[in-house]
Amino acid sequence: LREEARRSIAAADRSDQLKELRVKYLGKKGEITAILRGMKDIPPQDRPKVGSLANEIRGELERLIAEKEKELDERALEERLKREALDVTLPGDPRPLGSVHPLSAVIEQIEDIFIGMGFEVAEGPEVEWDEINFEALNIAQDHPARDMQDSFYITPRILLRTHTSGVQVRTLRSRKGEVPVRVIGPGKVYRRDEDDATHSHQFMQIEGLVVDSGVSMSELNGVLLAFARKMFGENQQIRLRPSYFPFTEPSAEVDISCIICGGRGCRTCKGTGWIEILGSGMVHPRVLEMAGYDSEKYTGFAFGMGVERIAMLKYGVDDIRHFYTNDLRFLRQYQSV
Ligand code: PHE
């Protein structure tokens, strides 16, 4: 019996066979168990010998089964590892990668430049109160922009914002007369324009606002010059031309010199040698007062630039519609920008 059991345990190569053998010899009705149970039929003088031999065999078989079990487990694990092995040197499946939209990339570059000069980024809603978009910016009731013809009105008092300048108002109101204020506000704006190569009914602006004691026009000039040089090359010049906005006084339109250095080296643009990139000016005292700032104590400047225009200049894009039609041949050119 002992020999037979040893042999069959050694021969077992699956765990279910081993289980069967355990039942066969050591189970409740197993052969060894039967011998131990049958002690009462054995003459008393033989019982110690038979008993200890049976126990010895039981112990040995238990040990053999346990060892075999371990061996089988290890073998199974090894086989599984072999089966599931990955060859990490195989070439992978290339996944097509998307990229940041050129307008988002330009906004990020502009934000970084102004953050470097101590500005914070603020945002306002695209659906805006007429009161914030116009009234609080000193834009009179009869101003042409307030015509249904020029703006997308949703209700008589609510419209799609026509510029990001409402962010000036929202920022000042939330700061409750505190200075210094240094924010830029990027976002989408909407105007009832016919779409063509240079116009889009929806486009993006970045607003800038600085309010503090003793802020002057020369600081506006300095900040914008620093911006222009970081954005378009260290040799950039800027030029301020007198202009008019109801919410700034004095107002200026700002041009950059027409040698533009961007992603693809430097280019000159056609025309007068200057090209306009933004509107700006000293915040109108009435705008400060309406937003709860003492205009005797504090002054400020503001500017608003068109993101598409800057992106077009920087990357030599000739049609604003490229930004919105999502032609992959266009977008892929900006994958590394
Ligand atoms: N909001 C003006 C525009 O849309 C630009 C501007 C911003 C001008 C801030 C002056 C100050 O054209």
Side-chain angles (χ1 to χ4, degrees):
L1 176 71
R2 186 184 209 168
E3 275 309 311
E4 177 204 306
R6 279 180 183 159
R7 255 184 283 115
S8 33
I9 292 172
D13 61 357
R14 293 200 323 266
S15 69
D16 55 333
Q17 290 168 344
L18 212 53
K19 220 178 262 168
E20 265 168 38
L21 291 172
R22 189 199 303 275
V23 173
K24 180 166 184 239
Y25 295 111
L26 305 172
K28 265 189 200 145
K29 291 179 181 150
E31 291 174 28
I32 304 292
T33 319
I35 293 172
L36 289 165
R37 280 230 182 101
M39 282 306 238
K40 56 183 184 315
D41 303 326
I42 288 171
Q45 68 273 23
D46 292 339
R47 281 181 200 168
K49 236 176 105 194
V50 174
S52 79
L53 185 61
N55 273 327
E56 190 196 313
I57 295 175
R58 183 172 64 179
E60 182 189 341
L61 295 186
E62 272 169 357
R63 206 191 68 232
L64 287 175
I65 290 177
E67 277 169 8
K68 190 73 184 182
E69 212 166 33
K70 211 175 135 208
E71 189 192 318
L72 289 179
D73 280 355
E74 274 166 12
R75 212 193 304 156
L77 180 65
E78 227 157 84
E79 269 165 22
R80 219 182 100 201
L81 287 178
K82 217 182 274 170
R83 199 170 53 240
E84 294 177 2
L86 289 177
D87 182 353
V88 293
T89 66
L90 282 174
D93 292 338
R95 304 275 156 189
L97 259 192
S99 54
V100 177
H101 191 277
L103 289 180
S104 305
V106 165
I107 289 176
E108 253 168 58
Q109 290 169 24
I110 297 174
E111 280 179 0
D112 283 349
I113 292 171
F114 282 102
I115 287 168
M117 292 192 271
F119 284 69
E120 295 162 59
V121 178
E123 279 179 34
E126 290 170 32
V127 179
E128 186 58 284
W129 297 103
D130 171 284
E131 190 262 322
I132 288 178
N133 193 79
F134 294 130
E135 206 96 352
L137 286 164
N138 197 37
I139 302 176
Q141 204 56 244
D142 57 2
H143 192 280
R146 301 188 67 154
D147 196 319
M148 296 282 287
Q149 298 297 316
D150 293 300
S151 309
F152 291 108
Y153 272 88
I154 290 168
T155 74
R157 294 173 56 212
I158 296 172
L159 75 164
L160 297 180
R161 66 179 173 186
T162 59
H163 52 188
T164 45
S165 296
V167 174
Q168 291 185 40
V169 176
R170 288 180 173 273
T171 301
L172 292 176
R173 285 182 183 173
S174 73
R175 300 290 170 97
K176 300 193 187 322
E178 299 286 319
V179 290
V181 175
R182 286 187 211 102
V183 296
I184 54 166
K188 293 194 184 106
V189 301
Y190 302 82
R191 289 182 196 173
R192 277 187 185 248
D193 272 328
E194 288 298 331
D195 291 357
D196 63 23
T198 53
H199 294 85
S200 171
H201 63 282
Q202 179 230 289
F203 59 104
M204 299 182 104
Q205 287 188 329
I206 297 186
E207 194 75 14
L209 174 68
V210 171
V211 177
D212 205 343
S213 44
V215 174
S216 68
M217 195 105 184
S218 67
E219 276 167 67
L220 168 67
N221 187 66
V223 165
L224 293 180
L225 180 61
F227 162 72
R229 292 190 167 168
K230 288 228 160 67
M231 197 69 193
F232 296 111
E234 280 307 314
N235 296 321
Q236 248 329 302
Q237 302 294 329
I238 63 169
R239 167 175 96 165
L240 273 64
R241 269 181 300 108
S243 184
Y244 173 78
F245 299 101
F247 37 94
T248 46
E249 182 58 36
S251 302
E253 269 164 340
V254 177
D255 302 337
I256 57 171
S257 50
C258 219
I259 302 170
I260 292 161
C261 300
R264 320 232 148 99
C266 302
R267 275 169 299 106
T268 53
C269 49
K270 347 181 195 37
T272 60
W274 295 96
I275 189 150
E276 185 196 325
I277 58 161
L278 57 85
S280 67
M282 298 305 291
V283 180
H284 198 294
R286 229 181 287 161
V287 172
L288 288 173
E289 292 291 339
M290 281 190 281
Y293 276 73
D294 183 345
S295 66
E296 300 281 316
K297 252 167 91 186
Y298 302 123
T299 51
F301 63 78
F303 56 85
M305 59 181 102
V307 177
E308 285 82 352
R309 188 175 177 78
I310 287 176
M312 287 167 84
L313 288 172
K314 180 146 177 152
Y315 297 112
V317 177
D318 59 1
D319 192 322
I320 192 171
R321 290 169 293 195
H322 283 312
F323 293 120
Y324 297 108
T325 43
N326 290 328
D327 185 331
L328 288 177
R329 290 168 301 182
F330 173 75
L331 294 177
R332 285 204 179 109
Q333 298 176 51
Y334 298 92
Q335 254 167 353
S336 58
V337 169

